[in-house]
């Protein structure tokens, strides 16, 4: 899996999809007509990282790295990316691709969604609006344009919020995490009372 990166195209996307301070992100005005996987967005050069497109591949990589005593650094969307954050030579930089970067299931009737950790916030809001839900999501960190949108995992990990707006805790009922249990990588579900 490889991606291409064109700085001029990225600049055009930033100009086209820019969000002004204080503006509520309205993806139906700014979002491209389709949701693209990470390897087709151009935010980051996927070829610079180890692409992971399934939970099974992630768990296998975790087991392999535990056995060889190496680390893993997961790169989200490239939003706020800085090379100083890359893993060292004894570790692997990973990016979620394919289904792990676009997994979005919205049940409009139940007002519930299942979202992959690698899916971007702007794609989620776009998908909700495609399903007929009118979503106003304050631009937390101004990262809700297709070229700069934070991933759901990044949003949860940093609990991005601004004054008087909901935090990740207010939006998320449960998460599925890849963890080590008894010396082996497994996926577990963690939830809170709602």
């Amino acid at each position: 899996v490889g991606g291409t990166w064109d700085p001029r195209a990225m600049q055009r996307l930033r100009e086209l999809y820019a969000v002004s301070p204080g503006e509520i992100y309205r993806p139906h005005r700014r979002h491209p007509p389709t949701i693209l996987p990470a390897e087709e967005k151009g935010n980051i050069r996927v070829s610079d990282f180890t692409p992971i497109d399934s939970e099974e591949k992630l768990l296998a990589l975790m087991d392999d790295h535990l056995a060889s005593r190496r680390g893993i650094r997961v790169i989200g969307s490239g939003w706020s990316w800085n090379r100083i954050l890359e893993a060292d030579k004894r570790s692997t930089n990973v990016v979620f691709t394919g289904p792990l970067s676009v997994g979005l299931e919205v049940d409009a009737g139940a007002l519930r969604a299942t979202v992959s950790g690698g899916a971007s916030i702007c794609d989620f809001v776009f998908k909700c609006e495609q399903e007929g839900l009118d979503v106003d999501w304050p631009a937390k960190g101004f990262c809700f344009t297709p070229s700069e949108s934070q991933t759901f995992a990044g949003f949860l990990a940093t609990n991005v919020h601004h004054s008087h707006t909901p935090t990740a805790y207010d939006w998320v009922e449960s998460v599925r995490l890849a963890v080590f249990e008894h010396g082996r990588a497994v996926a577990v579900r963690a939830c809170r009372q709602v």
Side-chain angles (χ1 to χ4, degrees):
V1 175
T4 59
W5 182 76
D6 178 352
R8 293 168 302 185
M10 291 306 299
Q11 182 59 35
R12 286 192 301 273
L13 282 173
R14 284 189 182 97
E15 291 167 2
L16 180 60
Y17 299 119
V19 176
S20 303
E23 179 182 357
I24 299 297
Y25 178 67
R26 304 295 276 168
H28 61 275
R29 294 187 313 206
R30 297 199 153 86
H31 199 283
T34 58
I35 295 174
L36 299 173
E39 61 271 25
E40 294 179 28
K41 284 187 177 177
N43 297 18
I44 56 177
R45 287 188 308 256
V46 172
S47 59
D48 288 350
F49 308 104
T50 300
I52 298 292
D53 64 3
S54 71
E55 183 178 289
E56 294 77 21
K57 288 180 183 175
L58 175 61
L59 296 176
L61 181 77
M62 289 173 65
D63 282 335
D64 174 66
H65 278 54
L66 179 63
S68 60
R69 303 181 59 87
R70 292 181 293 159
I72 298 172
R73 169 76 164 87
V74 178
I75 311 305
S77 63
W79 178 77
S80 190
W81 178 245
N82 185 328
R83 289 218 177 262
I84 198 167
L85 301 173
E86 285 185 10
D88 63 23
K89 293 184 189 309
R90 292 195 30 82
S91 301
T92 300
N93 289 296
V94 169
V95 65
F96 291 146
T97 59
L100 291 183
S101 68
V102 294
L104 299 163
E105 296 176 22
V106 175
D107 181 344
L111 295 176
R112 181 161 292 157
T114 301
V115 183
S116 294
S120 67
I121 301 291
C122 75
D123 288 346
F124 167 71
V125 175
F126 176 71
K127 176 73 171 171
C128 287
E129 290 194 347
Q130 280 185 322
E131 297 292 326
L133 298 172
D134 186 23
V135 177
D136 282 339
W137 187 309
K140 300 170 190 319
F142 306 111
C143 61
F144 295 95
T145 62
S147 62
E148 298 175 346
S149 185
Q150 191 172 25
T151 62
F152 248 82
F155 172 69
L156 296 177
T158 58
N159 197 26
V160 176
H161 64 89
H162 285 177
S163 298
H164 310 294
T165 64
T167 66
Y169 182 83
D170 297 306
W171 292 78
V172 177
E173 292 180 6
S174 67
V175 294
R176 188 164 168 81
L177 300 167
V179 299
F180 288 105
E181 191 172 273
H182 307 294
R184 200 176 135 90
V186 295
V188 298
R189 183 174 179 262
C191 62
R192 64 175 174 91
Q193 293 283 350
V194 275

